[in-house]
Each structure stands twice: as structure tokens, then as C-alpha cells.
Amino acid sequence: MQDKILVIGSSGQIGTELVEELRKIKGIENVVASDIKEPQIAQNGPFEQLDVLNKEQLLSVVKKHNTNQIYLLAALLSATAEKHPEFGWELNMNSLFNVLNLAKEGIIQKVYWPSSIAVFGPTTPKQHTPQHTIMEPTTVYGISKLAGERWCEYYHNKYNVDVRSLRYPGLIGYKSLPGGGTTDYAVDIFHQALKNKAYTCFLDENRTLPMMYMPDAIRATISLMEAPAEQIKIRSSYNLAGISFSPKEIASEIEKNIPDFKISYAPDERDLIAQSWPESIDDTEAREHWGWKNEYDLSKMAQDMILNLSKQK
Ligand code: AKB
């Protein structure tokens, strides 16, 4: 059967790059982008303005395009959800139910839903955090992602829904800006370094977090979705590891490329969120089950970011 894909939240940080890559692989007409907002950039394929919380609208878009797979990327991220806890919970959970129920009813065949390192909390082991461990998230976003993981597994076990998920670390890319996350600094720092040769970081200089370069994240997402179902042994969400670094370490990497770059620190409430998260992730299961392997280390990622952002200036 031809894959007919709907990407919900296509104008966001992941959506922008995922749609581009999926269209290369599946064909432009087979990947419908959708977002609650009108797109800011010209679309090179089908687009639908869609509020995922509106079940009727979602169903009519799915029917119109004969969709059989949904990538659900719409969410409030960690920092924004702390400011709007009730809406964060409503959007992050009800969007998932609306999509999982389409799969339960057999209207669509496959679902991708992103989880996050935010499912872990202060009581979780911080180094090489294992797949199965203590999970006591302290943010609205983390609580919604952990609950979502449990529901994904439940829908798989009870209703045989083919749902797949990754616990993304902080994502870094040059094609679009992140919005409302705690790890956003690791993108902003490059923009400010190139523009002003200076950056004030909202995290502590030693606040190490798990991160990943976008080409790795997109490859992981599509590999997981394309893997034969029998290889997917975890139906909650897979740990996924790339690079771990602190603001101080990424700043010194940037300095190698932009020698007069200066960083200063003004930690705010996002540093408290970051403090509750792991420093590094053990992704043994993803490697063993469906052959995941990251390609980018800190210096390769930083060089590529600087090269590509310089071309955009
Ligand atoms: C955030 O910072 O909220 C996200 C995430 C780690 O899921 N980038």
C-alpha cells in the first residue's frame, strides 16, 4: 500500500525538516503538511490548516487525502507548558487521543508520536539514563509525555495500534527555530554568535543536557517508522542518544570557529527545568532493536551549523 502521510505541526522545528525529508522519500503529493497556523514560508507540496484538537476537522483532512500514517508533532514544549499548564496538558494529551483513536478505528494504520527526555525527573539516574528506570517528571510537559507514552503502549497492547515513538533529546538545526523549549539555547547560541559574537545563556554554564543534531533526529524518526513491526519491541517510547554537552562546552566549540565569541550566563526558570533532566542517555535498546546509530558529535555538529547559518546571512 502506498504510504499517504499527514504531518501535524509541520511548521515547527521538527516538522519543517521531517516534511522535506519524507517528501524526498515518499513523493511530494504523498506527504501532506498541516499546522494550526498559516505557513510563513512557501509550501512545495500539499498543506492543510488544521487544529488537531478539532476531531471532525482532523477526520475530514484524513479522509480527503486518504491518509494512512500520521506524524503528530503538535505540542507545547517544556518552558511554554509551565506558563500554560492546563492548555499544555489539553493539547499534548487530547491531540494524542484524537490520533490514536483514528488508528484504533482502523482509519489510519501507523502513528508516530514524539516523547522526550523530559519524561525523566530529579530522581532518575542522571548519567547514561537507562530505558527502564525511575520516572518522576516534575514539569507539565514531562508529565504529559510520560502519560502519553503509557497510552501509546496501552493502545498497542489493547487495540493493536502500530504506534512508534522516540524520546528526543534537545534538537539542534539550522533550517528552523525551536519554540518554547528548555534546550532552545543550543540553537539560539549559533544565531547570536554569528550576528553579535555574543550570547547570554539562560542555563548555568555547567548544565549538561542530552542533545542531537537534526539530521540524526530525522534519520532516527524515519528509520523507526520504516522498520519492520517485529523489530519494534518497545511501544511506549525509545531512549535516543546523540551528544551531551554543557553551555560552556558548546561555547568553546563555537570559539574554535568564531574566535572573538563571548558567552555570559543569566540562568532563569528554565535552568530549574534542565536541572531535573538527565545529562546523558543510554539508547542500547534502539541500537539493538532497529539498528540506530548517531553520526554527529559536538564538533561536527557545530561546524555544520556555522557553515549553513553563515550561508543564510
Ligand atoms: C524542550 O526543551 O522542551 C524540548 C525537549 C527536550 O523535549 N526540546
Side-chain angles (χ1 to χ4, degrees):
M1 197 205 305
Q2 172 65 56
D3 291 340
K4 300 285 268 177
I5 297 174
L6 174 65
V7 177
I8 300 173
S10 62
S11 306
Q13 192 197 13
I14 304 171
T16 309
E17 300 209 21
L18 190 63
V19 167
E20 191 182 307
E21 203 51 38
L22 284 172
R23 283 185 174 155
K24 279 188 208 152
I25 302 168
K26 308 283 181 184
I28 291 175
E29 292 308 314
N30 295 320
V31 181
V32 176
S34 72
D35 204 280
I36 192 159
K37 294 190 214 121
E38 283 216 41
Q40 298 297 304
I41 45 170
Q43 296 292 299
N44 71 342
F47 178 86
E48 294 282 349
Q49 199 164 351
L50 167 66
D51 176 0
V52 65
L53 295 180
N54 183 334
K55 282 192 232 175
E56 290 73 35
Q57 205 187 16
L58 174 63
L59 182 62
S60 90
V61 169
V62 163
K63 290 211 163 135
K64 177 176 167 192
H65 294 277
N66 291 317
T67 305
N68 52 27
Q69 287 188 21
I70 291 183
Y71 287 69
L72 170 57
L73 307 174
L76 281 202
L77 296 189
S78 55
T80 313
E82 287 308 291
K83 294 200 178 103
H84 309 281
E86 286 186 21
F87 182 62
W89 177 256
E90 186 193 336
L91 175 64
N92 295 0
M93 298 311 301
N94 290 343
S95 59
L96 179 60
F97 282 124
N98 288 350
V99 171
L100 285 178
N101 284 331
L102 290 179
K104 179 185 163 190
E105 287 157 23
I107 298 167
I108 57 166
Q109 269 66 56
K110 224 189 231 186
V111 176
Y112 178 77
W113 176 78
S115 186
S116 158
I117 53 155
V119 291
F120 300 115
T123 50
T124 303
K126 279 213 172 300
Q127 307 293 340
H128 306 293
T129 303
Q131 175 73 39
H132 304 286
T133 185
I134 301 169
M135 298 170 89
E136 295 180 326
T138 50
T139 62
V140 174
Y141 175 66
I143 297 169
S144 72
K145 288 293 176 188
L146 180 54
E149 286 192 7
R150 304 319 306 149
W151 279 112
C152 287
E153 192 184 275
Y154 185 90
Y155 270 67
H156 176 74
N157 290 342
K158 276 265 176 175
Y159 311 123
N160 206 21
V161 165
D162 189 354
V163 53
R164 304 174 183 206
S165 175
L166 296 170
R167 290 174 180 155
Y168 289 128
L171 299 178
I172 303 159
Y174 59 86
K175 294 188 184 170
S176 64
L177 291 171
T182 301
T183 58
D184 295 7
Y185 93 87
V187 178
D188 208 22
I189 194 170
F190 285 100
H191 288 269
Q192 298 303 323
L194 284 162
K195 205 165 139 205
N196 303 322
K197 299 198 183 322
Y199 179 65
T200 304
C201 184
F202 57 74
L203 297 186
D204 181 89
E205 61 181 336
N206 294 315
R207 188 71 60 226
T208 300
L209 287 172
M211 300 277 187
M212 180 173 282
Y213 197 35
M214 199 56 95
D216 272 346
I218 298 297
R219 198 165 46 78
T221 308
I222 296 175
S223 313
L224 176 76
M225 283 296 272
E226 296 291 301
E230 60 275 14
Q231 287 182 14
I232 313 301
K233 300 188 179 98
I234 293 175
R235 294 295 185 154
S236 51
S237 189
Y238 276 96
N239 271 12
L240 188 72
I243 327 162
S244 277
F245 57 79
S246 64
K248 200 165 145 186
E249 285 163 334
I250 194 173
S252 83
E253 204 55 51
I254 291 174
E255 260 177 63
K256 288 183 194 159
N257 299 274
I258 307 172
D260 44 354
F261 172 65
K262 292 275 170 290
I263 186 162
S264 55
Y265 299 91
D268 65 18
E269 67 286 349
R270 288 168 284 188
D271 192 52
L272 291 174
I273 299 177
Q275 259 178 61
S276 75
W277 290 350
E279 294 191 349
S280 60
I281 299 289
D282 178 347
D283 61 358
T284 305
E285 282 80 354
R287 288 170 190 268
E288 287 178 354
H289 296 180
W290 44 276
W292 161 245
K293 194 175 180 322
N294 67 305
E295 275 177 12
Y296 284 86
D297 61 16
L298 177 56
S299 90
K300 198 169 156 196
M301 177 275 285
Q303 277 173 30
D304 204 59
M305 277 295 281
I306 292 168
L307 181 77
N308 282 290
L309 285 177
S310 310
K311 285 188 206 155
Q312 290 173 11
K313 299 280 157 200

